[in-house]
């Protein structure tokens, strides 16, 4: 189905549900929810315990009000479950034998969470979700997608690429190349679309300028970004659009939560795939539901995934709901401005969400350094490394010991936080001491 809005064609993947009146949509969601609750009650010991303890019987959930009686799920509970029942925990609904893919979260707020995906979820559920994205972004079989990412445990563009190739786009695999070679391959093979984190795409644009490549005259007309809020931050989006000479679209998802939102060609907020998710917005402190238009934490219930579906999961993403139908014809929920930030103290770097406290936790393991530290986040797109400033614990530590400790910290950050930092060992007392909350984080602008 194709209609025309402004100069861009609008495509739907599942027009029936995307354009359904809310009342009917909610009835549909409640039906899916009851089936999902029965599924987790039967197959996930974790959810069986939680539902039984709250006295919830899946078939009794008849309204959105009833849904709110179901306990929330927090990422820490998933970590505890995996620590107690290694390596997968007991919250999932499949056995390793049923899984075809494994990934792990970036470990932003602690130990990474491992997830398994069944054949059905990988080839059908993810496909369905990313077909919503494909249609939302207006990508077609005529498009050639350049995918600059490396083979690894981070989910990043795996699902998107798998679906796009199934949908008939040509894929150019851009892993294992330098940024300059990626640009060359992208141009040589006539890519029309590219995906990446906003900071990497800005860096790539800067690399192009330095090498005399004029991106706006290239064939690239669509840029898909995920992993950081960039696409939804208007100034970042505008910078990317002018540097690439292309439209930039927001892609929302997480390793454990799946792929729940995409912009449409009109770029007026991020559409939530409500036929596959129930989204709620709550006050992150009181956990009470908020009104549309208020900023709060996004809580998601996965209605379609069979492998490790999460029920009323606290995403920690700050969002603002808008239920006014979009001009594209979709009647479902939009997130104004995509993800507005995180409900905890956190920063984004190289596609990874990082908390200063993660670095603090690592310093606790290194006797040669004091507990004073600063994290310097370079300007988005500068290509510079994250910098960590530390101090020796005392004057007796030798230069050799400091060098070893520094190398250890670089490796630990690389392994546990998945970014490679530069570590600067300052003189004792060089870092500022303040009363109360220290200024650990410095953002370069
Ligand atoms: Zn729309």
């Amino acid at each position: 189905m194709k209609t025309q809005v402004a100069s861009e064609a609008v495509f739907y993947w599942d027009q029936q549900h995307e354009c359904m009146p809310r009342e009917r949509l909610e009835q549909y969601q409640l039906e899916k929810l009851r089936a999902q609750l029965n599924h987790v009650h039967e197959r996930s010991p974790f959810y069986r315990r939680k539902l039984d303890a709250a006295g919830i019987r899946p078939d009794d959930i008849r309204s959105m009000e009833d849904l709110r009686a179901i306990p929330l799920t927090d990422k820490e509970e998933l970590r505890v479950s995996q620590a107690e029942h290694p390596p997968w925990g007991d919250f999932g609904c499949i056995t390793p034998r049923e899984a075809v893919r494994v990934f792990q979260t970036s470990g932003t707020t602690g130990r990474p969470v491992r997830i398994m995906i069944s054949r059905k979820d990988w080839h059908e559920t993810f496909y369905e979700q990313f077909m919503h994205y494909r249609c939302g972004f207006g990508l077609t079989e005529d498009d050639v997608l350049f995918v600059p990412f490396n083979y690894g445990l981070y989910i990043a563009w795996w699902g998107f690429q798998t679906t796009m190739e199934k949908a008939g786009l040509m894929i150019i695999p851009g892993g294992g190349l330098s940024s300059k070679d990626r640009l060359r391959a992208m141009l040589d093979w006539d890519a029309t679309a590219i995906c990446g984190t906003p900071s990497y795409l800005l860096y790539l644009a800067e690399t192009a300028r330095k090498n005399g490549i004029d991106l706006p005259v290239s064939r690239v007309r669509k840029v898909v970004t995920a992993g950081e809020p960039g696409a939804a931050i208007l100034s970042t989006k505008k910078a990317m659009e002018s540097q690439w000479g292309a439209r930039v679209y927001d892609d929302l998802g997480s390793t454990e939560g799946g792929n729940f939102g995409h912009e449409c060609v009109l770029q007026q907020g991020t559409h939530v795939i409500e036929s596959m998710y129930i989204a709620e917005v709550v006050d992150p402190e009181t956990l009470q539901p908020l009104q549309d238009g208020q900023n709060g934490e996004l809580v998601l219930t996965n209605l379609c995934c069979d492998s490790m579906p999460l029920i009323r999961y606290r995403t920690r993403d700050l969002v603002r709901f808008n239920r006014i139908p979009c001009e594209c014809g979709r009647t479902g929920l939009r997130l104004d401005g995509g993800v507005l930030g995180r409900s905890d103290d956190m920063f984004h770097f190289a596609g990874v969400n990082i908390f200063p406290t993660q670095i603090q936790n690592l310093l606790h393991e290194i006797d040669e350094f004091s507990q004073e530290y600063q994290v310097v986040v370079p300007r988005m797109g500068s290509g510079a490394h994250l910098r960590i400033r530390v101090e020796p614990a005392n004057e007796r530590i030798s230069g050799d010991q400091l060098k070893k400790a520094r190398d250890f910290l670089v490796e630990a950050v690389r392994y546990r936080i998945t970014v490679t930092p530069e570590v600067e060992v300052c003189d004792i007392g060089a870092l500022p001491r303040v009363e109360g909350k220290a200024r650990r984080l410095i953002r370069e602008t």
Side-chain angles (χ1 to χ4, degrees), residues 263-269 271 326-330 334:
E263 266 184 291
C264 71
V265 289
L266 298 180
Q267 299 173 298
Q268 290 173 7
H271 288 279
C326 181
E327 281 175 57
C328 71
R330 290 177 178 87
R334 276 179 290 164

Side-chain angles (χ1 to χ4, degrees), residues 17-69:
H17 292 111
E18 288 176 273
C19 303
M20 196 176 248
R22 174 145 301 276
E23 241 168 61
R24 275 182 51 208
L25 177 70
E26 283 189 3
Q27 287 313 311
Y28 176 80
Q29 288 179 311
L30 288 166
E31 227 169 85
K32 303 279 283 185
L33 175 65
R34 285 190 290 272
Q36 187 68 296
L37 291 175
N38 274 309
H39 173 64
V40 298
H41 191 269
E42 188 186 328
R43 301 204 58 172
S44 156
F46 172 89
Y47 275 117
R48 189 160 44 241
R49 276 196 308 275
K50 274 176 87 87
L51 293 172
D52 287 350
I56 306 276
R57 290 194 310 190
D59 291 325
D60 290 347
I61 304 294
R62 296 271 144 200
S63 68
M64 290 298 167
E65 220 28 67
D66 294 342
L67 164 75
R68 295 199 189 102

Side-chain angles (χ1 to χ4, degrees), residues 361-376:
N361 288 340
L362 293 175
L363 284 176
H364 280 305
E365 297 173 23
I366 307 174
D367 293 334
E368 290 81 357
F369 295 143
S370 77
Q371 296 307 306
E372 292 297 333
Y373 72 100
Q374 271 187 341
V375 181
V376 183

Side-chain angles (χ1 to χ4, degrees), residues 252 260 269-272 298 319-321 333-338:
L252 286 184
F260 58 88
T270 307
H271 288 279
V272 175
L298 177 68
V319 296
R320 185 166 58 239
F321 278 15
L333 171 69
R334 276 179 290 164
L335 307 178
D336 274 341

Side-chain angles (χ1 to χ4, degrees), residues 21 51 86 125 132 159 190 233 301 316 324 348 352 380 392 409 416:
L51 293 172
T125 315
H132 277 271
D190 281 338
I233 298 169
T301 296
R316 307 279 168 178
I324 299 167
H348 297 269
V352 184
M380 194 184 254
L409 182 57
R416 300 219 208 137

